[in-house]
Amino acid sequence: MLPQSQGVAAVLRDEPLIELASVGKDYTTEAVVVRALRHVDLTIQHGDFVAIVGQSGSGKSTLMNIVGCLDRPTRGTYRLDGLDVTRRSNDARAIVRNRLIGFVFQGFNLLPRTTALENVELPLVYRGVGVAERRRRALEALGAVGLADRLHHTPNQLSGGQQQRVAIARALVTSPPLLLADEPTGNLDTRTSYEVLGLLQRLNRGGITIILVTHEPDIAACASRVITMRDGEVRSDLRNERPVDAAVALAALPPSGAESDERAP
Amino acid sequence: MRGYLAAVRIALRAIVRSKLRAALTVLGILIGVAAVVIVVALGTGVRNRILGEISGLGASSIYIFPQSTQASGLRRRESVRMSEADGLAVLKESTSVAALSPFSSTSMQIVAGEANVATQVMGVTRSYLSILSYRVAKGDGWTEADEQLKAKVCVIGETVREDLFGSSEAVGQYIRIGKHPFRVIGVLEKKGQSPFGEDQDDRLLMPIGSFRSRVVPSAPGKVQMLVAAATSERTVDRAVEQIDRILRQRHEIAPDDEPDFVIRTQAEFRASQERILDTLTMLLSSIAAVSLLVGGIGVMNIMLVSVTERTREIGIRMAIGASEGDILVQFLVEAITLSLIGGVMGLGAGLVVIKVLAAALGWNMTLPVSAVVIAVGTSATIGIVFGFFPARRAAHQDPITALRHE
Ligand SMILES: Nc1ncnc2c1ncn2[C@@H]1O[C@H](COP(=O)(O)OP(=O)(O)O)[C@@H](O)[C@H]1O
Ligand SMILES: [Mg+2]
């Protein structure tokens, strides 16, 4: 799970992975203009683990969607890995999403009635990877998130934590340099949240840049940089020299006899 | 545009997931394709049958009728307008006429013992049998001597034989026609119905001379019609020209004047029948095509529903790197798969119906290979045409809007 070679080259050139300059985003709904993002300048280096916090409606998801090439900014420029992606064609942006970005959503967003293995293989299908290679890499990714024994379960046969691990495996399977997680623990209990976070930290140590949106301070404390947003602007941008190790936090939790979330129904 | 096989798998899975809905959509296409297949097969069946029967009447035969015109009506008596002499002249002078027979007929009651029946009594020469491809199955035809002597002999069709003699031997028996007893010397091979629904076995043939002197007394040499055969199907037109020229000469009609006769050919008749059949087939095919169109609209409808229902799925696929082309292909393949399933099943259903119909009607109906190609091709085309709009709608979704869709 190493970042891709062009990422390595960029690291050596000391170029940032993400560079947002004067980015703004307006939503026009029935003649009312919502300024979801007012003015954001943001630079994120390779290998960083960034948490974005802020009240609901402060523009965190809007920012993530722009960074993830799912949405286009109304104003400003966005360079990803040295590449201006704002004005690229839809097809080019699809390729960028496929090769450079892995997404993890709050609602998991797995394909229903589709097995874990097939869900994880999907990005590779769109990348044109052959069946055997696809299978091998999906198995590897599912192994990395500890789900080697749940390959043929469909999402409704998996617990929330397991579903989110499948989603992480799907995000990882293409070995992207950037992983975006919008409130990945929002639907999970504390214990499972720390497990997922521990997984993300491990991946980050392996070299993947991670941006994580959360509104829980405990979760944000696990990141090495915390950006606070308010009213569509960055309010504070602090480096956390001693991020909490999720594995340690997990061990410190009072033992829960049930472990219910981790058992498949 | 990667992995069409994967796209087909996704499509099949989506179809299996909503079985009832897919089944109803497939049914629409099935009915349409089956209708087209059946109409085409029926069309070719009717065509083969009718055209075959027409050919059975003698593909190169030519009919010459008298026709009253203002000029001729003034100039000569109607009764001598068409004569045996005209026929002999045509046979002698025209190089493209191979055989010719005078023809007169009347419908009348004939009696044999206790049985009596109304039938068509015809006066002809021996050539008539060969021109219209009649064969004498039992006994013999009459001889030239019989014709010259106006002998009281006759050849009867199978229907007449059955009605008059039933299971007993007909040849050698006597039939009373008017005042005269005629000896049955032959029975014709069964010919069945003509394309006009006429029973071609319900007739009695006798020498023309015998007919004129004993059945319908009339002026010497006068006939109702001449029946000729060209030397081959290809020389029919030339034969018609020659007959026209000879008869105009004999009847003293200038080349530009309206003649007092009409010449009709089997080929002409065949062509007009073919035109009627073509029109009929076209008409039925367009009705079938309309049902196919309705099936197509069903596909479009169901695909639009499917796209709306799976908006979120589309968003997820786009988020992990599916291009617009990938999404387009996915939904297009789904539409084509639905249509093709309907097409193949419709073809099967059509074949079953054709088999049943063919057995019930006793027709020889073959489905031309082209119909199979058309059925499969049309259903695939329907999938593409009616699937394209929904598929494009899916592909043009905004990823973030699609992902937020609930
Ligand atoms: N598609 C949209 N249409 C209109 N307004 C939107 C849309 N998406 C977000 N917004 C608005 O933009 C603002 C920022 O939203 P969002 O980025 O989702 O905030 P957060 O993720 O921090 O809760 C909110 O006021 C929200 O109502
Ligand atoms: Mg949000």
Side-chain angles (χ1 to χ4, degrees), chain A residues 25-175:
Chain A
K25 175 77 188 178
D26 299 340
Y27 289 111
T28 313
T29 48
E30 288 143 18
V32 184
V33 177
V34 180
R35 307 194 74 187
L37 284 185
R38 285 167 192 279
H39 182 104
V40 175
D41 292 309
L42 185 63
T43 304
I44 294 174
Q45 298 298 331
H46 281 273
D48 213 346
F49 191 139
V50 181
I52 301 178
V53 297
Q55 289 170 350
S56 179
S58 57
K60 306 183 295 292
S61 293
T62 305
L63 180 63
M64 285 294 262
N65 293 336
I66 288 170
V67 169
C69 286
L70 286 170
D71 212 351
R72 293 177 195 262
T74 316
R75 298 173 294 276
T77 56
Y78 166 34
R79 296 170 78 81
L80 172 63
D81 211 15
L83 204 76
D84 184 354
V85 289
T86 40
R87 269 162 282 275
R88 292 302 172 116
S89 72
N90 290 343
D91 278 355
R93 287 160 63 86
I95 292 171
V96 167
R97 288 195 294 271
N98 188 248
R99 308 237 157 190
L100 301 185
I101 301 167
F103 286 100
V104 179
F105 302 92
Q106 176 174 2
F108 316 136
N109 275 344
L110 298 176
L111 288 190
R113 294 173 293 259
T114 306
T115 65
L117 190 59
E118 287 169 320
N119 262 295
V120 174
E121 280 185 9
L122 207 53
L124 298 175
V125 171
Y126 290 123
R127 198 157 167 174
V129 175
V131 179
E133 172 71 0
R134 215 153 74 195
R135 181 61 40 108
R136 189 186 66 71
R137 286 168 71 170
L139 288 174
E140 189 185 315
L142 279 165
V145 299
L147 282 178
D149 56 343
R150 293 284 190 278
L151 302 178
H152 301 290
H153 288 54
T154 55
N156 61 351
Q157 296 169 331
L158 295 170
S159 70
Q162 288 170 332
Q163 286 186 58
Q164 198 58 298
R165 273 148 62 189
V166 173
I168 293 172
R170 184 179 66 187
L172 290 178
V173 77
T174 54
S175 312

Side-chain angles (χ1 to χ4, degrees), chain B residues 346-383:
Chain B
L347 188 62
L351 284 174
V352 170
V353 172
I354 289 166
K355 270 250 150 56
V356 172
L357 273 181
L361 298 172
W363 289 9
N364 176 25
M365 281 196 286
T366 46
L367 190 63
V369 178
S370 62
V372 178
V373 175
I374 287 169
V376 175
T378 322
S379 45
T381 309
I382 281 178

Side-chain angles (χ1 to χ4, degrees), chain A residues 52-58 60-61 64 104-108 164 180-188 193 196-197 200 211-216 219:
Chain A
I52 301 178
V53 297
Q55 289 170 350
S56 179
S58 57
K60 306 183 295 292
S61 293
M64 285 294 262
V104 179
F105 302 92
Q106 176 174 2
F108 316 136
Q164 198 58 298
L180 302 177
D182 192 348
E183 307 208 27
T185 60
N187 287 357
L188 304 177
S193 293
V196 166
L197 216 61
L200 293 181
I211 306 179
L212 169 94
V213 167
T214 181
H215 51 246
E216 296 166 67
I219 301 289

Side-chain angles (χ1 to χ4, degrees), chain B residues 28-357:
Chain B
I29 297 288
L30 187 156
I31 291 171
V33 170
V36 169
V37 165
I38 292 166
V39 165
V40 169
L42 265 179
T44 53
V46 170
R47 194 190 188 84
N48 287 343
R49 190 178 160 83
I50 292 187
L51 296 184
E53 281 167 352
I54 291 174
S55 297
L57 290 177
S60 56
S61 54
I62 300 167
Y63 302 82
I64 308 142
F65 311 89
Q67 172 188 247
S68 53
T69 62
Q70 279 182 344
S72 67
L74 289 174
R75 206 162 53 221
R76 59 183 94 225
R77 284 176 304 136
E78 215 180 82
S79 54
V80 294
R81 252 189 302 160
M82 194 67 71
S83 68
E84 260 182 275
D86 283 334
L88 288 173
V90 166
L91 193 56
K92 187 157 157 256
E93 292 173 34
S94 164
T95 51
S96 296
V97 171
L100 188 140
S101 166
F103 179 97
S104 287
S105 82
T106 185
S107 177
M108 65 187 300
Q109 203 76 17
I110 60 175
V111 184
E114 296 291 289
N116 76 87
V117 66
T119 189
Q120 203 66 27
V121 176
M122 301 172 171
V124 294
T125 60
R126 285 165 302 155
S127 310
Y128 183 77
L129 296 183
S130 66
I131 293 169
L132 293 188
S133 24
Y134 276 107
R135 258 180 298 279
V136 179
K138 260 186 159 175
D140 282 305
W142 60 79
T143 62
E144 199 183 341
D146 290 329
E147 283 180 1
Q148 274 161 10
L149 295 171
K150 299 170 186 165
K152 291 187 274 185
V153 292
C154 67
V155 172
I156 57 175
E158 179 59 25
T159 306
V160 174
R161 188 204 63 74
E162 175 72 36
D163 289 349
L164 290 184
F165 303 105
S167 54
S168 60
E169 180 60 52
V171 176
Q173 303 284 335
Y174 285 85
I175 296 178
R176 194 159 53 73
I177 304 170
K179 299 192 289 285
H180 305 278
F182 279 70
R183 189 162 55 89
V184 177
I185 58 169
V187 178
L188 295 173
E189 193 177 271
K190 194 171 167 64
K191 228 178 165 187
Q193 287 207 336
S194 80
F196 329 99
E198 186 195 10
D199 180 1
Q200 299 179 86
D201 303 310
D202 185 12
R203 42 174 93 327
L204 183 150
L205 307 181
M206 65 174 66
I208 179 78
S210 316
F211 182 87
R212 234 180 351 239
S213 56
R214 309 188 202 280
V215 181
V216 182
S218 44
K222 193 212 160 188
V223 293
Q224 291 171 359
M225 176 172 94
L226 297 174
V227 183
T231 45
S232 82
E233 278 183 57
R234 279 194 309 275
T235 55
V236 169
D237 287 343
R238 206 180 324 143
V240 169
E241 272 170 41
Q242 292 172 346
I243 294 167
D244 184 72
R245 190 160 35 76
I246 294 162
L247 290 183
R248 276 174 188 275
Q249 206 171 22
R250 289 179 57 84
H251 294 192
E252 293 162 25
I253 298 162
D256 298 333
D257 285 352
E258 195 190 349
D260 61 353
F261 56 88
V262 189
I263 305 172
R264 291 267 174 268
T265 64
Q266 201 59 258
E268 233 172 49
F269 179 66
R270 186 189 161 101
S272 77
Q273 287 294 304
E274 266 185 76
R275 268 196 304 280
I276 293 171
L277 286 174
D278 283 348
T279 314
L280 204 71
T281 308
M282 273 297 288
L283 197 78
L284 288 174
S285 302
S286 14
I287 293 171
V290 167
S291 70
L292 209 50
L293 183 77
V294 172
I297 293 170
V299 169
M300 180 137 129
N301 185 30
I302 224 64
M303 288 312 296
L304 283 173
V305 171
S306 178
V307 168
T308 306
E309 275 184 357
R310 284 149 71 196
T311 303
R312 196 180 170 81
E313 175 191 322
I314 294 166
I316 295 171
R317 289 179 184 275
M318 285 181 158
I320 60 176
S323 68
E324 293 184 359
D326 291 326
I327 302 293
L328 186 87
V329 166
Q330 178 189 331
F331 281 92
L332 211 49
V333 165
E334 189 173 323
I336 295 169
T337 308
L338 270 178
S339 303
L340 272 182
I341 292 173
V344 170
M345 288 174 74
L347 188 62
L351 284 174
V352 170
V353 172
I354 289 166
K355 270 250 150 56
V356 172
L357 273 181

Side-chain angles (χ1 to χ4, degrees), chain B residues 1-17:
Chain B
M1 304 291 139
R2 298 151 276 213
Y4 281 88
L5 216 67
V8 171
R9 261 224 327 271
I10 293 169
L12 284 176
R13 191 178 296 184
I15 289 166
V16 166
R17 232 171 251 164

